[in-house]
Amino acid sequence: MMKKLLCVLLCWALLPCFAAPVWAAPVTVPAESAVLMEKETGTVLYAQNEHVPLAPASVTKVMTLLLVMEAIDDGRLSYDDVLTASAYAASMGGSQVYLEAGEQMTVEDLLKAVCVASGNDAAVCLAEGVAGSEEAFVARMNERAAELGMEDTHFCNCTGLPAEGHLTSAYDIALMSRALILDHPDIRRFTAIWMDSLRGGEFQLANTNKLIHRYKGATGLKTGSTDEALYCLSATAEREGMELIAAVMKAPSSDERFAAAETLLTYGFANYTLLAAGPDEVLPTIPVAMGEKDRVQPVYAEGAHILVSKTQAAGAEKDISLESAVSAPVRRGQQLGTLTVTSGGEVLATLPLVAGETVERLTYWEIAQKILRSSLFVS
C-alpha cells in the first residue's frame, strides 16, 4: 500500500512538467518554427524557435513583392508597364506561369502570377524590371532586410529556389510581411485572389494559399515548399480592424502548415484586440504665452492604438494629463501631455498628446503692439 501511495504522489508531482512547456505556450503547432504578429503594433503574440535560420522556399517572394510595391509607390514602375521576359527569367524551374523568352506581360499580371501561382519566372521578370538584373535586385533585398532588422536572413535569389545560404527565420518573415501589408495595402488586390487567369483567359490561376478560400478574413500572403524547406507559409487575416501575420516554417505537410496558421490566427483573434486610444471627446485647448495664437490644440498622435487582451479591453479606462499652459514657440508634434490607459489597476500604455499645429513666438514689435492695444482698450 505504501509503495502504491508513493507511486501516485510521484506521478502527481511530475504531472506539471508534462502538462505545459517551460514558457507555457498557449497553443502548439506542427512546425519547426512559427511566429504570430499583430500588424499595426508589431507585437509578437506567439513564438516558437522564431530566430532559427531555415530555408524559406517561395515565402522569399514576400521581399520580392515588397521591393516591387515600393518601386510602384515611388514611380519607378507602374501597374500598366509592360515588361519583356528574358531568356533567364523564362528558364526558371519550379512553380511558373511558363513565360517564353521575349514574351511581354504587364506588371499587374506579373504580380498576379507571383501572388496567386507563385511564378518563379514572373518573379525574376519583375526583379529585372526593377533593378536590371536579379543579382542587383537580390543585393537590394538584403539591404532592405537589414533596414527592417531581419538579422537571421540572407537572400541568394528572388524566388526561393534552393540555394546554399539562402535562409531566413519565422520572425524575419513576419517582419517583411508586416512591412508589405502595413505600407502597401494595395497588395491585397493580388494576394486575396482565389482564382483568376492570364493571357486573356487562356492560362488559369488558382491560389496556392488555401486559406484564402477557407479562412474567414484571410488576406494573403505567400506559400512555399521545397524538399529542404518542407512546407512554409506567411498567412495574413483581418477581423474587426485587426490584422495578424502567422509565419510557419518547416511544417511536415501542406495540410499541417495551413492548420498551424489557422491555429495561430484563431488564437490571436480569440484573445486579443486593438484598442483605439483616440479621443472619446475633443481635447481642451491649452493657453500659449507670448504666442501668435493665444491657445494651441492638443491632439492624439497618429496610429494611437494599443494591443490588449480582450479581458483587459473590457475594463479599460483612459486618464488624460495636459500642461496647464505653455510658452511659444510651440512646434507641431511637441508633447503637451499624456494619455494613460489602464485596466484593473494595470497600466497598459502611456501615449503622448501632441500639438496639432505650430504656434510661433511673437516678435518684440508684435509684443509692443499687443501691449499698446491692450492699454488703449483698458483706457
Side-chain angles (χ1 to χ4, degrees):
M1 180 65 70
M2 182 59 69
K3 287 183 178 179
K4 288 182 179 180
L5 180 60
L6 287 172
C7 183
V8 169
L9 289 172
L10 180 60
C11 290
W12 177 83
L14 290 175
L15 272 175
C17 299
F18 297 103
V22 173
W23 50 282
V27 292
T28 56
V29 295
E32 181 81 11
S33 177
V35 159
L36 179 66
M37 180 182 286
E38 190 276 320
K39 177 189 73 175
E40 185 167 334
T41 64
T43 303
V44 173
L45 304 177
Y46 175 90
Q48 174 182 308
N49 299 326
E50 68 273 26
H51 288 294
V52 175
L54 298 168
S58 282
V59 178
T60 296
K61 296 186 180 86
V62 172
M63 179 60 81
T64 301
L65 293 170
L66 176 59
L67 295 189
V68 171
M69 294 304 292
E70 288 177 345
I72 290 172
D73 283 357
D74 66 23
R76 288 177 289 130
L77 206 61
S78 77
Y79 289 127
D80 295 330
D81 285 347
V82 176
L83 302 183
T84 302
S86 67
Y88 174 69
S91 73
M92 293 296 110
S95 301
Q96 54 187 303
V97 292
Y98 302 97
L99 291 174
E100 295 183 2
E103 182 178 357
Q104 293 187 319
M105 192 171 284
T106 63
V107 168
E108 177 146 349
D109 280 351
L110 289 166
L111 279 168
K112 191 188 301 182
V114 172
C115 293
V116 181
S118 194
N120 293 320
D121 45 3
V124 173
C125 190
L126 285 167
E128 291 173 339
V130 171
S133 68
E134 185 188 23
E135 182 180 6
F137 188 84
V138 171
R140 180 56 188 147
M141 290 173 70
N142 285 312
E143 289 173 3
R144 193 71 181 94
E147 291 167 4
L148 291 172
M150 297 168 59
E151 298 181 356
D152 310 317
T153 297
H154 178 73
F155 294 118
C156 296
N157 57 54
C158 69
T159 59
L161 287 167
E164 186 176 354
H166 186 93
L167 300 168
T168 189
S169 66
Y171 180 76
D172 285 2
I173 287 173
L175 284 181
M176 65 178 177
S177 299
R178 177 178 183 246
L180 178 59
I181 63 175
L182 181 64
D183 297 331
H184 309 282
D186 202 38
I187 196 67
R188 284 189 182 190
R189 292 206 297 118
F190 307 99
T191 60
I193 293 172
W194 173 233
M195 300 188 76
D196 210 317
S197 63
L198 296 173
R199 303 184 179 100
E202 294 180 3
F203 189 86
Q204 301 301 308
L205 300 174
N207 204 318
T208 57
N209 181 4
K210 306 309 177 188
L211 297 188
I212 295 297
H213 180 60
R214 75 188 195 201
Y215 190 79
K216 179 185 175 183
T219 56
L221 193 61
K222 193 69 202 71
T223 60
S225 64
T226 63
D227 289 344
E228 178 189 0
L230 298 184
Y231 295 89
C232 304
L233 174 65
S234 177
T236 58
E238 182 176 13
R239 294 182 187 176
E240 298 177 355
M242 181 175 72
E243 192 163 12
L244 300 178
I245 303 157
V248 176
M249 299 192 76
K250 210 163 187 177
S253 69
S254 180
D255 285 345
E256 285 171 297
R257 71 175 162 187
F258 292 126
E262 284 184 281
T263 296
L264 291 175
L265 292 170
T266 300
Y267 163 75
F269 288 126
N271 291 281
Y272 295 92
T273 188
L274 275 179
L275 182 65
D280 295 327
E281 59 205 21
V282 177
L283 296 172
T285 58
I286 298 174
V288 180
M290 310 299 289
E292 291 180 345
K293 292 184 178 181
D294 293 331
R295 307 185 75 86
V296 64
Q297 177 67 60
V299 297
Y300 289 78
E302 292 182 11
H305 286 85
I306 58 174
L307 186 72
V308 298
S309 71
K310 289 191 172 180
T311 302
Q312 290 173 320
E317 297 179 350
K318 301 174 186 177
D319 180 62
I320 294 171
S321 174
L322 290 171
E323 298 282 354
S324 58
V326 291
S327 297
V330 178
R331 299 301 174 198
R332 187 170 185 264
Q334 177 180 326
Q335 186 165 346
L336 301 176
T338 56
L339 167 71
T340 303
V341 183
T342 61
S343 180
E346 177 187 355
V347 176
L348 304 181
T350 302
L351 304 172
L353 302 173
V354 301
E357 58 184 333
T358 294
V359 178
E360 297 291 353
R361 185 178 177 85
L362 291 171
T363 64
Y364 289 118
W365 174 244
E366 288 170 331
I367 293 171
Q369 287 183 312
K370 193 171 184 179
I371 293 172
L372 181 60
R373 283 195 301 268
S374 298
S375 62
L376 289 172
F377 180 77
V378 171
S379 62

